[in-house]
Amino acid sequence: MAFMYYRAADSGHKDVYAALPLINNERLKIDSTTPFIPSYVKRSVTRSSDPAQTYASRVQGRQILLENPARESKAKKEREEKRAQRTAERTRKAAGVISKKDSRKKGLWKLQKDETKFHLFLPLHSLWLGYMSELLSLLPQPAVASTDPTSAMPSAAGMHAKLIKADFHGAIVTVRQSKNPCLVGLSGIVVHETENAFKVITRNDQLKMLPKQNSIFVLAVPLYAPPALPPTAPTGTSKTILDMPHIELELYGNHFCYRAAERAGRKFKHKETIEL
């Protein structure tokens, strides 16, 4: 430990020990044989019968926090958060990604009246059927009808784990129960899924918003892999899943209030069924 002495012009060396504390009416002296911290601690611990042992067991060789560390200011945190947001926004703009606010302003998710046609979204539904066939590893439909169609069903445990994270754009959903009786029975192709609702196109060429909260939906999943259509097949003659063997599953909207991108990376836990 190094010490600094101050030399006065008229009085020689200044007594640096005069500023040290008095312990038991004795001035604490510091030299190479008696360092300050061990001497100070041993002299300050008056309730212990063996101060040297107390110092060796509790103080010596340890890092002791003498005061609270300096906290970061709230204003500094706010500035750093704003700076990070600006950096992320610049990166998103450079990558050509549009925000949800900008997409609403530009009306990217709004369909014109001549675009809300059921037959226009049948190709999307056909793509979804192929997607489900690959996701669930469905087998092709046998030439001879099986007496036990449940034998072709995939395992329930594996199917549920995949469907809960699947993309529903192009699927056909039907409202089975809802607190709003006007929604019961509505069915259509999902054209947009948000955190709290499904937007569907009905067979009557109407765009409907189906809220997830307090609703139970029926999702139709194909039982067999759909047959491949020839390249010359007309677009509007595609069959829907309701015209082929399928499985119906219930979706509880109260458990499903997540965006499609969030569901893909979320770990779901088993919950009891919430009645409407």
Side-chain angles (χ1 to χ4, degrees):
M1 183 179 295
F3 299 94
M4 181 178 293
Y5 294 90
Y6 298 90
R7 183 181 297 276
D10 55 349
S11 60
H13 293 287
K14 185 177 179 180
D15 187 6
V16 296
Y17 299 109
L20 295 175
L22 284 171
I23 300 178
N24 297 332
N25 296 324
E26 295 181 5
R27 186 71 65 184
L28 182 61
K29 297 293 184 179
I30 300 174
D31 53 23
S32 60
T33 59
T34 58
F36 171 73
I37 295 178
S39 302
Y40 181 76
V41 173
K42 292 175 184 178
R43 288 172 180 254
S44 300
V45 179
T46 57
R47 296 183 181 182
S48 176
S49 59
D50 190 358
Q53 178 64 25
T54 303
Y55 170 78
S57 61
R58 298 187 179 182
V59 179
Q60 187 176 12
R62 298 187 180 184
Q63 294 182 357
I64 300 176
L65 186 64
L66 300 180
E67 60 182 6
N68 293 331
R71 296 182 179 179
E72 295 183 0
S73 63
K74 186 176 181 180
K76 183 179 179 181
K77 288 184 178 180
E78 292 179 353
R79 287 196 300 269
E80 291 179 353
E81 290 177 358
K82 290 181 179 179
R83 189 181 298 111
Q85 289 178 359
R86 290 194 296 268
T87 304
E89 186 176 356
R90 286 195 296 268
T91 304
R92 186 171 58 249
K93 287 184 177 180
V97 179
I98 188 171
S99 64
K100 294 197 307 184
K101 184 178 180 180
D102 294 338
S103 63
R104 277 196 301 268
K105 286 183 179 180
K106 295 182 179 181
L108 297 181
W109 293 104
K110 291 183 179 179
L111 297 176
Q112 302 298 328
K113 188 173 182 181
D114 56 344
E115 297 173 344
T116 56
K117 303 295 182 181
F118 186 81
H119 71 275
L120 294 179
F121 292 92
L122 286 177
L124 175 64
H125 179 61
S126 299
L127 290 175
W128 185 82
L129 292 178
Y131 162 66
M132 281 289 108
S133 175
E134 295 181 4
L135 181 66
L136 303 178
S137 301
L138 300 178
L139 300 175
Q141 185 173 1
V144 180
S146 175
T147 57
D148 185 14
T150 58
S151 61
M153 291 180 58
S155 63
M159 181 173 59
H160 291 169
K162 293 178 180 179
L163 287 177
I164 203 169
K165 297 184 178 184
D167 189 354
F168 290 164
H169 291 91
I172 291 182
V173 296
T174 306
V175 181
R176 173 165 289 178
Q177 296 182 29
S178 177
K179 281 193 172 182
N180 184 359
C182 299
L183 300 177
V184 177
L186 286 179
S187 177
I189 299 175
V190 178
V191 296
H192 187 203
E193 179 186 358
T194 64
E195 182 177 355
N196 298 309
F198 289 111
K199 290 183 180 179
V200 302
I201 297 292
T202 65
R203 289 184 179 272
N204 297 329
D205 298 334
Q206 295 179 339
L207 179 64
K208 295 292 184 180
M209 175 87 72
L210 306 179
K212 296 180 181 179
Q213 195 72 23
N214 301 323
S215 298
I216 298 178
F217 302 91
V218 175
L219 173 68
V221 179
L223 182 61
Y224 303 104
L229 295 176
T232 57
T235 304
T237 58
S238 300
K239 293 183 178 180
T240 66
I241 192 173
L242 303 180
D243 302 326
M244 60 184 67
H246 61 275
I247 310 168
E248 291 188 350
L249 303 174
E250 287 188 347
L251 297 180
Y252 288 81
N254 292 340
H255 297 171
F256 223 68
C257 293
Y258 303 100
R259 295 187 297 119
E262 293 177 353
R263 285 193 290 105
R266 185 178 180 84
K267 292 184 179 179
F268 289 88
K269 296 182 179 179
H270 175 73
K271 294 182 180 179
E272 296 294 334
T273 300
I274 299 177
E275 299 295 339
L276 296 178

